[in-house]
Amino acid sequence: MASATRAKIAVFISGSGTNMAALLYASRLEGAAYEIVLVASNVEGADGLKLAETEGVATFTHSHKGITREEQDAAMEEAAIKAGADYIVLAGYMRILSQGFVERWEGRMLNIHPSLLPKYKGLDTFARAIEAGDSHAGSSVHIVTHELDAGEVLAQVKVAIAPDDTPDTLAARVKIAEHQLYPRAVADYVSRGSDPEYLYAKVSKLALALPETHEKTSHGSPGFRVGTEKSGKFFAHFSQMHHGSQHIALLVKTGSMDELLTLVESQPEVYYKPDYYGASGWIGVILNRPGVDWDHVQDWLMRSWRAVAPARLTKLHDAANMF
Ligand code: GAR
């Protein structure tokens, strides 16, 4: 992601904030994918707050004592929104979050947990790994969901356990590993909307979930066909900055040139008329932009599939959808 469009993140901490510091210094490197717009804590005087202040980063503190979980979350959330955060990154924020808060930030909130998830959710992860005789401990970055430490794991780092390790000596090495892991994982996550591999994987999964489809390269780009390998017809193409275009896009069939031109004119941030394919009614749905609605992408794939699939398949599909 270009530095002009860096993602804005709010980091929540409860303790020493060394992971926050690692995130912060990584964000100061040339070409960083994100910037920290707020460091917020539920603990007054948390060490990490002082470091953030020294570095000129906005801070916010709101003690959780004597108030409900919802009230605490609302105060922290409001501060994050006011700071303009696109993402919330939890870095040793030792609070269970209320359901509404988690839901509102679904897909935009990450956490780091000091174990190789799904092993050892919750507390005392190092003692449990040593006790179990594991060869490795480690840390995981995951998406926050309503279930504790259970969201999709984005990245992990392994740390070997030495025979004489105590939970404290192991924790110290895991921290060093976390400081490498978290900045990279956050940067990858906030950049994935412009990563061709990620976008291709999403499109491919949706396209190949439709009945009797397969992938076939067309003019050097991945395409998706319905029907047999021999006589199938293309219903979608994945276009990665083709013919000098800046777009990574899904090309699908419109009903007419009129429809194509109307869509391009009314929503130029979403659609464009691709060179070459555009002449025969294919429209480009731009994927490398913020806030892509994947249900909308799926609707287009389905529509395009229906336009070229044999009647035998569309009838079956209609019948299946009636139930
Ligand atoms: C980190 O090791 C992090 O993995 C852990 O707290 C520590 C915070 O350290 N998080 C959890 O245990 C969450 N369940 P830091 O304040 O020095 O970054």
Side-chain angles (χ1 to χ4, degrees):
M1 195 179 283
S3 54
T5 55
R6 292 203 292 163
K8 294 179 166 51
I9 70 171
V11 184
F12 287 10
I13 63 170
S14 296
S16 57
T18 66
N19 276 287
M20 179 278 296
L23 287 163
L24 175 61
Y25 291 119
S27 78
R28 297 266 166 95
L29 299 178
E30 177 97 27
Y34 64 85
E35 64 181 308
I36 298 184
V37 292
L38 180 73
V39 174
S41 181
N42 61 318
V43 177
E44 268 166 55
D47 283 349
L49 289 170
K50 189 151 183 272
L51 184 141
E53 270 165 31
T54 306
E55 291 293 349
V57 178
T59 59
F60 174 81
T61 315
H62 198 271
S63 172
H64 60 275
K65 290 185 188 149
I67 56 171
T68 66
R69 200 174 288 291
E70 282 74 16
E71 282 165 344
Q72 169 63 9
D73 287 354
M76 297 287 284
E77 182 180 10
E78 192 189 332
I81 292 170
K82 270 195 185 150
D86 307 309
Y87 298 88
I88 291 177
V89 172
L90 309 178
Y93 185 58
M94 304 308 268
R95 302 279 308 155
I96 305 253
L97 305 175
S98 58
Q99 185 145 346
F101 179 43
V102 170
E103 275 168 13
R104 283 190 294 282
W105 287 81
E106 203 185 307
R108 296 183 299 141
M109 179 148 51
L110 305 184
N111 182 40
I112 190 161
H113 179 76
S115 78
L116 296 172
L117 288 172
K119 278 187 162 180
Y120 314 130
K121 296 171 182 170
L123 299 173
D124 299 325
T125 57
F126 306 112
R128 287 154 74 198
I130 292 171
E131 175 73 16
D134 292 354
S135 64
H136 289 79
S139 186
S140 309
V141 174
H142 66 94
I143 297 178
V144 176
T145 58
H146 63 276
E147 204 185 325
L148 184 71
D149 301 330
E152 182 194 344
V153 172
L154 300 171
Q156 288 185 319
V157 61
K158 279 171 132 190
V159 174
I161 300 180
D164 58 351
D165 259 331
T166 65
D168 285 348
T169 58
L170 181 57
R173 287 203 311 291
V174 169
K175 273 266 178 91
I176 297 170
E178 287 189 319
H179 298 165
Q180 317 310 308
L181 175 72
Y182 214 6
R184 163 95 71 99
V186 170
D188 285 352
Y189 190 72
V190 303
S191 310
R192 68 185 194 170
S194 50
D195 174 2
E197 267 178 47
Y198 168 77
L199 295 172
Y200 163 71
K202 290 277 283 190
V203 163
S204 166
K205 196 167 169 204
L206 293 175
L208 296 178
L210 291 163
E212 281 192 35
T213 49
H214 58 272
E215 188 176 329
K216 192 176 163 97
T217 305
S218 156
H219 300 283
S221 301
F224 300 94
R225 305 204 315 172
V226 52
T228 63
E229 291 277 344
K230 227 172 155 193
S231 65
K233 286 191 175 150
F234 282 103
F235 66 97
H237 298 274
F238 180 79
S239 170
Q240 185 186 328
M241 301 181 179
H242 238 219
H243 297 283
S245 153
Q246 290 308 299
H247 304 310
I248 301 174
L250 170 70
L251 309 191
V252 281
K253 275 271 194 195
T254 48
S256 68
M257 188 56 68
D258 260 2
E259 186 192 11
L260 189 158
L261 295 175
T262 308
L263 285 171
V264 170
E265 203 185 348
S266 60
Q267 295 173 72
E269 67 292 350
V270 180
Y271 299 107
Y272 73 105
K273 181 172 176 239
D275 283 354
Y276 181 75
Y277 283 100
S280 39
W282 293 87
I283 196 165
V285 182
I286 303 166
L287 301 173
N288 56 337
R289 66 188 161 90
V292 173
D293 176 349
W294 287 96
D295 289 340
H296 176 243
V297 172
Q298 187 172 21
D299 289 347
W300 266 114
L301 280 167
M302 165 79 77
R303 189 183 145 182
S304 203
W305 176 89
R306 291 186 66 92
V308 296
R312 157 183 77 80
L313 285 180
T314 51
K315 273 190 201 141
L316 271 179
H317 198 244
D318 288 343
N321 281 342
M322 282 172 70
F323 301 103

